[in-house]
Amino acid sequence: MKILVINGPNINMLGIREPGIYGTETFQTLLSSLQDIAVSQNIDIEQYQSNHEGDLVDKIQAAYGNVDGIVINPAAYTHTSIAILDALKAVAIPCVEVHISDVDSREDFRQISYAGLACEKTIKGQGLDGYRQAILYLKEKYGA
Ligand code: DQA
């Protein structure tokens, strides 16, 4: 089984950006935890991070026919990007949305998720563990 983990803008700044909201664990920590999950769950995990909306769309399109599941934290593009929503709908790959913070308890503009409309599940407010939960969900449902 192959899972693509996609992170949007500023997720590469984890550990530096607003630690009171996103915690002190770094992006590198997230990447190594994904590697650990891949080994322990015997699945192939590819990660991709970009600050650019079109690059995220390109990556989702390139996943067509190549991955069994997508875990995506579109970050700020969650709340603005119909292009990312349409790309996820186009490839129709099982997808789980992750937010590190509890977006429900934050500003009004974070209450809409376009990408979430194409995802079968959303995990929010679980910190970096949300990625592990999303991967395990996809493995349980779609893994061989
Ligand atoms: C986020 C929440 C978004 O509202 C924000 O723009 C982010 C990160 C999260 O993981 O909690 O950049 O997606």
Side-chain angles (χ1 to χ4, degrees), residues 9 11 17 22 73 75-76 78-79 99-101 103 106 110:
I11 300 298
R17 75 180 289 212
Y22 298 110
N73 182 350
T78 304
H79 319 297
H99 297 289
I100 297 163
S101 66
V103 278
R106 298 182 64 193
R110 296 185 204 276

Side-chain angles (χ1 to χ4, degrees), residues 36 79 113 142:
D36 292 347
H79 319 297
S113 169
Y142 300 103

